[in-house]
Amino acid sequence: GRVDTRLVKDKIHHHMQIAVMMSLPWVAFLGLLAQPVVTLFFKGNIEIPVLLLRIGCVAVLFLAIALIQFHIFAAIKKLQICALFFLIATALHIPVLLLLIEWTALTVEAVVISELVCLFVFVLANQLFIRKFFKIKNEPGKYLLISFTSFVAVGIVLLLIDRLLYPRVGALVAVVFGFVLTWVGYLSLLVSYKAIDSRILSMLPFGEHLTVIATRLHLISKKESKSE
């Protein structure tokens, strides 16, 4: 049968939207609370593991997007193109690593940074191909702007937790409190500013419960929640 391209583009948009929105809180949480998180699992000198987690947390965003892209390539039977992009990105990572080691004082950090460059190139190449294949001209920018604004707002709170709360209450309390506050605050901001609606909210883990909570807090209307 004939494929509804508008419906396909809409599904791509929504799944990309969820990937970005759900990975940004993890980036903020792991990056800004790296020290208490690492302290829970390691003892002794944790300076290097903390630094690596702060740098490498961005990989969560790239991997979330790459996963959605992989399923898109599989659906359109173009996995060989995806594999080619991965080989190119992997090959690029080697000279980047050598340049970082040669021109900077970085050691093990250079490995993480070069891997991030590899992921970025892979995701970028995939996205450009998908845009061209489906003739996507404009990416909806509202949800991205609100997502990153909410990301910054939550990041400021996590930074305060790391600087002020963690030294006083310890790693476990800081991590648990920061984790809960990250997701509650982030999702509340997204729903409040209409970056996500009840349809997208229902697609998330525990979506039905989140929709009920958002309705009771008047973040979404009862009419909207019932329509989903």
Side-chain angles (χ1 to χ4, degrees), residues 16 26 43 117 145 148 188 224:
M16 285 293 184
W26 283 110
K43 302 298 179 184
V117 172
L145 178 61
F148 279 101
S188 297
E224 182 183 358

Side-chain angles (χ1 to χ4, degrees), residues 13-27:
H13 164 62
H14 279 94
H15 284 86
M16 285 293 184
Q17 184 177 355
I18 292 174
V20 172
M21 287 180 173
M22 293 301 98
S23 57
L24 284 178
W26 283 110
V27 174

Side-chain angles (χ1 to χ4, degrees), residues 82-96 114-125:
C82 185
L84 176 61
F85 290 154
F86 180 75
L87 289 175
I88 294 173
T90 304
L92 181 63
H93 130 271
I94 298 174
V96 170
S114 63
E115 290 290 346
L116 289 177
V117 172
C118 171
L119 278 173
F120 174 76
V121 172
F122 177 59
V123 167
L124 179 61

Side-chain angles (χ1 to χ4, degrees), residues 48-190:
I48 293 180
V50 168
L51 178 60
L52 295 180
L53 184 57
R54 290 193 194 281
I55 298 172
C57 65
V58 184
V60 175
L61 174 62
F62 293 151
L63 290 172
I65 297 174
L67 181 62
I68 301 298
Q69 292 173 336
F70 174 82
H71 287 290
I72 295 173
F73 276 98
I76 61 177
K77 296 179 173 55
K78 295 289 184 180
L79 281 176
Q80 69 276 16
I81 302 295
C82 185
L84 176 61
F85 290 154
F86 180 75
L87 289 175
I88 294 173
T90 304
L92 181 63
H93 130 271
I94 298 174
V96 170
L97 175 60
L98 294 176
L99 289 174
L100 287 173
I101 293 175
E102 181 69 24
W103 291 355
T104 69
L106 299 174
T107 53
V108 66
E109 304 97 315
V111 178
V112 178
I113 294 174
S114 63
E115 290 290 346
L116 289 177
V117 172
C118 171
L119 278 173
F120 174 76
V121 172
F122 177 59
V123 167
L124 179 61
N126 286 343
Q127 194 64 17
L128 291 175
F129 180 87
I130 291 170
R131 284 170 59 91
K132 183 178 180 180
F133 186 87
F134 290 102
K135 298 179 181 179
I136 300 174
K137 296 182 179 180
N138 297 312
E139 291 284 353
K142 177 184 175 182
Y143 83 89
L144 286 176
L145 178 61
I146 296 176
S147 295
F148 279 101
T149 302
S150 303
F151 166 78
V152 172
V154 169
I156 293 173
V157 175
L158 289 175
L159 185 62
L160 293 175
I161 292 175
D162 182 61
R163 294 290 185 268
L164 303 177
L165 187 64
Y166 166 55
R168 291 172 172 80
V169 301
L172 181 60
V173 175
V175 167
V176 172
F177 184 70
F179 180 82
V180 173
L181 195 61
T182 295
W183 285 100
V184 172
Y186 183 75
L187 290 177
S188 297
L189 288 170
L190 292 183

Side-chain angles (χ1 to χ4, degrees), residues 35-53:
Q35 187 165 345
V37 168
V38 172
T39 302
L40 290 177
F41 300 98
F42 299 96
K43 302 298 179 184
N45 187 359
I46 61 171
E47 183 178 349
I48 293 180
V50 168
L51 178 60
L52 295 180
L53 184 57

